[in-house]
Amino acid sequence: MDDHLLRSSFGAAATVYAEHRPDYARAAVRWALEPAPGPRVLDLGAGTGKLTATLVELGADVTAVEPDPAMLTELRRALPAVRALPGSAESIPLPDASVDAVLAGNALHWFDPVVAGAEIARVLAPGGVLAGLWNVMDDRIDWVSALERVSGSAVIGPRDTLSSWRAATAAMLVAGTGLGTRFGASEQVEFPHGQRRTADSLVATLATRAGMLVAPEEERDATLGQIRAFLATRSETAQGEFTLPMLTGVLRVLRR
């Protein structure tokens, strides 16, 4: 499916995205920022501010940049004190060497590797950090693995599970190529996380995945119906609230 279509799909569901998408494990964000030479952080492709909020809580001096107007509106509503600008990874509205870290929450895979790599390197101070973060489901858990099979790849893809996220993202920041140009060797680490959900709210969360947002209505309804029926059969998810077992995976490199 066309990447531009997928990338541009989130704005139509900005309010639901803001309500249902998870935040990021604080330990993961701390680790991502650990080598940064200062507190200035760019949240690139910030969406509705899920990562931005965690950065604020950790005391970072945050600037958020987001290309979709509807997502940016939600971010500004939720975090009015944060500097939030329209822009993209390929055209960052910041001066040279103006930030100490660039973080991207569930967004790095949407960036144009060559153009965005040069832009990110431009705005980063020497020794600065570039890190992508992904919330992944812990498919070592039996019911989560079964949910993946029921949902299909349009809902739970290779970047969305513990067993496959490293392989699916490792090539994004290879030193000297694409996004990795002007950066050193990359590191990948996972941190425990979780999200309190009900069956209904988990279905609503999965409905915000790009593959679902662009699917024909009949196909989307059928897939979400299958997921809802599956959750009703599992003792872990059939009644009341439960914790969706997740981890936050981080892919980190340093500016040369």
Side-chain angles (χ1 to χ4, degrees), residues 22-66:
D23 62 1
Y24 295 84
R26 281 154 184 74
V29 181
R30 289 190 191 97
W31 185 82
L33 295 174
E34 191 176 52
R40 302 169 300 170
V41 181
L42 168 60
D43 183 2
L44 189 55
T48 62
K50 294 293 184 176
L51 178 57
T52 313
T54 303
L55 288 165
V56 170
E57 290 174 10
L58 294 178
D61 176 9
V62 189
T63 298
V65 168
E66 167 57 36

Side-chain angles (χ1 to χ4, degrees), residues 20-253:
H20 292 291
R21 281 294 183 108
D23 62 1
Y24 295 84
R26 281 154 184 74
V29 181
R30 289 190 191 97
W31 185 82
L33 295 174
E34 191 176 52
R40 302 169 300 170
V41 181
L42 168 60
D43 183 2
L44 189 55
T48 62
K50 294 293 184 176
L51 178 57
T52 313
T54 303
L55 288 165
V56 170
E57 290 174 10
L58 294 178
D61 176 9
V62 189
T63 298
V65 168
E66 167 57 36
D68 188 281
M71 302 287 269
L72 190 60
T73 295
E74 287 292 330
L75 190 157
R76 287 170 169 165
R77 181 192 60 77
L79 300 165
V82 170
R83 183 189 186 201
L85 306 174
S88 68
E90 296 76 25
S91 182
I92 301 172
L94 295 178
D96 295 358
S98 58
V99 296
D100 301 299
V102 174
L103 270 58
N106 277 82
L108 195 67
H109 50 277
W110 299 123
F111 300 169
D112 178 295
V114 176
V115 180
E119 271 290 88
I120 291 167
R122 179 184 66 78
V123 301
L124 267 176
V129 173
L130 167 60
L133 296 88
W134 289 268
N135 279 318
V136 299
M137 296 184 183
D138 190 348
D139 57 353
R140 296 171 299 185
I141 308 298
D142 177 68
W143 77 263
V144 175
S145 180
L147 173 65
E148 178 187 6
R149 293 192 296 271
V150 168
S151 301
S153 60
V155 180
I156 302 176
R159 290 184 300 269
D160 299 323
T161 61
L162 176 62
S163 64
S164 58
W165 88 271
R166 284 191 176 214
T169 62
M172 291 180 187
L173 296 180
V174 173
T177 64
L179 278 169
T181 303
R182 303 183 181 87
F183 293 90
S186 63
E187 305 172 85
Q188 291 174 301
V189 181
E190 301 98 10
F191 296 84
H193 197 26
Q195 185 186 30
R196 294 296 290 172
R197 298 282 77 183
T198 63
D200 286 343
S201 65
L202 179 53
V203 170
T205 302
L206 296 176
T208 67
R209 298 298 177 89
M212 285 289 90
L213 293 174
V214 301
E217 184 177 358
E218 185 176 341
E219 178 184 329
R220 180 171 62 250
D221 291 347
T223 299
L224 296 177
Q226 290 173 358
I227 295 170
R228 189 175 286 107
F230 166 78
L231 295 173
T233 69
R234 298 293 305 208
S235 61
E236 301 94 338
T237 59
Q239 299 293 328
E241 283 197 338
F242 55 87
T243 297
L244 175 63
M246 298 190 306
L247 302 97
T248 298
V250 187
L251 175 65
R252 184 181 76 182
V253 292

